[in-house]
């Protein structure tokens, strides 16, 4: 009977490929799921996450918190006995890209001149 209590999940990446499906205990934390995703991340994919904080898990439009368990995070939408639940994985872009993008946005503003001489 314990096998019936397991939750079957697969993780959909941004390009449409999947990791899984695998069965997990309802007491599994979202943070440990992210660690398993990180370990199974395809090596040939660019811009993969470096840590679990670089990714978000989304189930039925809700971002799941690292410190919560699957049982606490489960939503009624799409839960069918024996069905596979698909969670989406979103990877945050590297912080260095945001910093260089911000510098590029600031530089044109500094070179603009709004004065006029009559």
């Amino acid at each position: 009977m314990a096998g019936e209590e397991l939750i079957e999940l697969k993780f959909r990446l941004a390009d449409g490929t999947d990791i899984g499906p695998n069965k997990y205990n309802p007491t599994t934390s979202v943070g440990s799921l992210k660690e398993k995703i990180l370990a199974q991340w395809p090596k040939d994919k660019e811009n993969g996450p470096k840590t679990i904080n670089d990714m978000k898990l989304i189930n039925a439009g809700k971002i799941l918190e690292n410190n919560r368990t699957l049982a606490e995070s489960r939503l009624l939408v799409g839960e069918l006995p024996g069905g596979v639940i698909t969670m989406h994985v979103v990877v945050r872009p590297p912080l260095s890209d945001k910093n260089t993008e911000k510098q590029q946005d600031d530089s044109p503003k500094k070179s603009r001149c709004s004065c006029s001489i009559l």
Side-chain angles (χ1 to χ4, degrees):
M1 294 283 177
E4 293 177 356
E5 296 176 11
L6 294 178
I7 302 168
E8 192 168 8
L9 300 173
K10 68 179 175 181
F11 305 100
R12 175 91 18 108
L13 306 181
D15 66 356
T17 59
D18 292 334
I19 295 176
N22 292 307
K23 294 186 179 186
Y24 299 94
N25 193 308
T27 59
T28 304
S29 73
V30 173
S32 64
L33 280 180
K34 288 181 176 182
E35 289 173 2
K36 291 178 186 197
I37 293 168
L38 192 60
Q40 296 176 21
W41 193 269
K43 303 300 180 211
D44 60 339
K45 302 264 184 233
E46 292 183 17
N47 301 327
K50 304 291 184 228
T51 69
I52 64 168
N53 294 325
D54 292 342
M55 70 177 102
K56 294 180 184 178
L57 277 184
I58 301 173
N59 182 30
K62 301 287 183 186
I63 297 173
L64 306 181
E65 299 175 28
N66 288 349
N67 59 346
R68 301 192 61 131
T69 65
L70 284 176
E72 294 170 334
S73 300
R74 285 183 78 186
L75 303 174
L76 297 176
V77 178
E79 289 186 13
L80 300 172
V84 177
I85 298 172
T86 301
M87 292 189 179
H88 293 268
V89 181
V90 177
V91 178
R92 293 184 190 168
L95 292 175
S96 61
D97 288 349
K98 289 182 181 178
N99 290 339
T100 56
E101 188 176 300
K102 185 177 179 183
Q103 289 172 355
Q104 290 173 353
D105 288 345
D106 289 346
S107 58
K109 292 177 186 174
K110 292 177 183 176
S111 64
R112 291 183 189 158
C113 180
S114 62
C115 13
S116 57
I117 301 173
L118 299 174

